[in-house]
Amino acid sequence: MQRVISFSSAFRATATGLHAHCLRCTRHENACRTPIRKHSQDQPTNNTVHLSCYSLPHRILISVSGQDTSSFLQGIITNDMALLGEDALRAMYAHILSVQGRTLYDIILYSLKGNPDGLNGVLLECDSTVQDSIMQLLKVYKIRRKVNFSLCPSLSLWALLPQNKTAVLGKSKPDVTAADKVLVLEQDPRTELMGWRMITSCRNNPHEVVSVCQESNTEEYHRHRYEIGLPEGVKDLPPGEALPLESNLVYMQGISFSKGCYIGQELTARTHHTGVIRKRVMPVTMSAPAETLDQGAALETEGGKPAGKHRAGIDKLGLSLVRLAHAREPLKLKSSDGVTVTLQATVPDWWPKNSKDK
């Protein structure tokens, strides 16, 4: 009799679980029929994190759609488009390189898989100052492929960062109060220290979409980037000058060494397999505001040896391309008015601890 009762209880529990699973599947299928993906089903109900929302007007979005979208992008970006097709990965970082293997554009791709048009399209995020040149490049490489490009001025891009920096290490999505207004909400693919990326209509205010959200100054977003040592845009990654591996592309999960050929691959793959990277973009603290320094100004050791080049910054935080042999030494450079400025480079906490990880 006890066995019969146990079996009956187990059967009822299993049936209840299957019923709940079917309800979840039904909700998921209904969500996939709408133009905007829903995010409400996997939202945390506790441990609420207070967020700072940063508008990113210096970044723009380009729609790339058509049946050849994946194969087209596969041939011109450093990362593997096959990874973006997986359900678990909806955002991916990559660079578009020149034929000589130097960085032209740093981009983030967002998958729109699940939209009713069935085109497997993506949104491409890039620096706003290069929108004309990147559109031209995409059209040049299009040839006869069935792929279309268009700017998305009706969409708005936001970065979401916890006000408490220690909370950024969490994996839970921000608590969304209006899921129907969210087109994309994904963790920044470069490092979890950069929080979350959100794409909505320009008509929507983040307060209407995300709970416990406070809109903050974009300058604070850049200050955070420079503090942790993450390059973004043409000032940090000069087009045609920056090298992808020196720019920490591997550390930001932005490259695949197992995919097929792509433009600029030869030099990048050769450098990777030799294992010799003598310079890296690193965060620096300076004795004078970054605004007084020229981009590309030469760095020197106290003994006068070449130590790299300054890139960009804000206030007394910035990024420089530093020779690793001198990374732990005090460095100096001349400001635009001829004053000697001292710098100190640091190794970011989010870099891999294993020195073999290039």
Side-chain angles (χ1 to χ4, degrees), residues 51-63:
L51 299 168
S52 293
C53 302
Y54 302 94
S55 176
L56 305 180
H58 62 288
R59 306 288 284 180
I60 62 158
L61 295 164
I62 298 174
S63 171

Side-chain angles (χ1 to χ4, degrees), residues 142-250:
K142 175 182 177 179
I143 312 177
R144 295 184 179 180
R145 293 185 182 272
K146 296 179 180 179
V147 60
N148 302 304
F149 322 108
S150 61
L151 296 173
C152 302
S154 63
L155 297 179
S156 182
L157 178 66
W158 298 84
L160 309 181
L161 291 170
Q163 295 176 11
N164 177 8
K165 291 185 179 180
T166 59
V168 79
L169 299 177
K171 297 289 186 181
S172 299
K173 284 189 175 182
D175 189 9
V176 173
T177 57
D180 58 323
K181 296 181 179 180
V182 178
L183 179 61
V184 171
L185 179 59
E186 298 296 333
Q187 191 170 33
D188 194 306
R190 298 169 294 185
T191 169
E192 60 184 8
L193 296 179
M194 286 301 294
W196 296 76
R197 269 334 206 228
M198 181 175 71
I199 301 175
T200 67
S201 168
C202 286
R203 298 188 300 271
N204 296 328
N205 188 295
H207 301 285
E208 303 171 353
V209 178
V210 181
S211 62
V212 291
C213 173
Q214 177 180 347
E215 190 170 348
S216 301
N217 194 314
T218 305
E219 185 175 299
E220 294 180 14
Y221 166 83
H222 291 299
R223 192 186 307 276
H224 173 70
R225 283 199 308 104
Y226 288 128
E227 185 176 3
I228 68 172
L230 189 134
E232 179 179 278
V234 297
K235 290 185 177 180
D236 301 337
L237 303 168
E241 179 181 338
L243 289 169
L245 300 189
E246 291 182 349
S247 303
N248 307 317
L249 187 60
V250 176

Side-chain angles (χ1 to χ4, degrees), residues 44 128 159 233 242 253 319 335 337 355:
S128 61
Q253 348 302 327
L319 292 173
S335 66
D337 54 3
S355 61

